[in-house]
Amino acid sequence: MTLAQTEQKTDTLEIWTLFSIGNFVNSNAERIVEQKWPFRIKGIAGDTFPEDMIDAVETHNNQVWSYLDANGHTDSKKKFEADLLAEIRRIQNAVEISNSHKNIIQLFEKWRKSKRQNYTKLHKLSDEKYEFLLYSFDVNNLDKGQTFELKYTVDLDKGKIKIME
């Protein structure tokens, strides 16, 4: 579900989302798709939020879509949702390919055994290729910062991973 808000102070259009905070696939899809649109995407709630928030934000959402449609876009809400859904599917596919690769499975197992947490940066190279940068960190010793672990690309067309480092 996407919702929107117009930020009055700066005349910046913002699309508000409710279900993407903490969701690797959705938050990355939103970040990537946002680059193609004249607005920022802002997560405003996590797993729980007051029900009346939906109605209030949907009202703003409709204003933003109407504004975009009146200023050069056609069916902006429908096109945005299609863009977002396509990006979500591509990223999900890339994550599934990653999670089935033996080196990545071993790395996650190593982190689990050593009680390290992981952090992943995702870069879209094209509609067929994504770059993953994997880092780990010790939650009991955050002063040490994160450790770079692995860089690889996923080729969706070939269903393959190319490990860089």
Side-chain angles (χ1 to χ4, degrees):
M1 172 183 286
T2 58
L3 303 170
Q5 166 74 24
T6 303
E7 197 174 78
Q8 299 300 324
K9 292 179 281 185
T10 62
D11 286 337
T12 300
L13 295 176
E14 281 188 347
I15 298 297
W16 284 9
T17 61
L18 294 175
F19 301 110
S20 63
I21 297 173
N23 181 313
F24 177 81
V25 172
N26 287 14
S27 60
N28 277 286
E30 289 170 357
R31 179 183 52 80
I32 290 167
V33 169
E34 173 184 70
Q35 296 170 13
K36 296 174 11 181
W37 287 88
F39 52 71
R40 290 180 15 87
I41 298 175
K42 181 179 179 180
I44 59 168
D47 293 336
T48 61
F49 50 87
E51 262 189 64
D52 61 341
M53 179 188 286
I54 294 173
D55 293 336
V57 178
E58 280 182 346
T59 299
H60 291 288
N61 183 28
N62 291 333
Q63 292 173 351
V64 171
W65 299 126
S66 295
Y67 173 83
L68 290 172
D69 288 347
N71 288 282
H73 293 272
T74 306
D75 291 328
S76 57
K77 180 180 179 180
K78 184 177 177 182
K79 287 179 182 174
F80 167 75
E81 289 175 347
D83 286 351
L84 186 60
L85 185 57
E87 196 63 46
I88 286 170
R89 287 182 178 146
R90 286 190 294 268
I91 294 172
Q92 283 174 328
N93 191 8
V95 168
E96 287 172 14
I97 291 167
S98 297
N99 289 342
S100 65
H101 192 274
K102 68 178 176 119
N103 292 17
I104 295 163
I105 292 169
Q106 289 171 350
L107 185 57
F108 277 96
E109 183 62 21
K110 177 182 122 183
W111 290 338
R112 188 187 64 74
K113 285 180 180 176
S114 65
K115 298 185 175 156
R116 291 183 68 81
Q117 297 295 314
N118 68 298
Y119 172 71
T120 304
K121 287 185 182 178
L122 178 71
H123 301 287
K124 180 177 181 170
L125 304 176
S126 70
D127 280 348
E128 297 80 31
K129 290 187 181 179
Y130 291 86
E131 177 182 78
F132 288 76
L133 299 155
L134 303 183
Y135 299 85
S136 70
F137 60 94
D138 183 349
V139 287
N140 296 319
N141 195 354
L142 294 175
D143 291 339
K144 281 189 170 182
Q146 58 190 18
T147 303
F148 172 76
E149 299 277 356
L150 185 66
K151 176 181 175 180
Y152 63 92
T153 58
V154 174
D155 185 324
L156 297 177
D157 282 343
K158 296 177 183 175
K160 302 233 183 230
I161 288 178
K162 180 179 179 185
I163 295 180
M164 315 301 260
E165 299 175 25

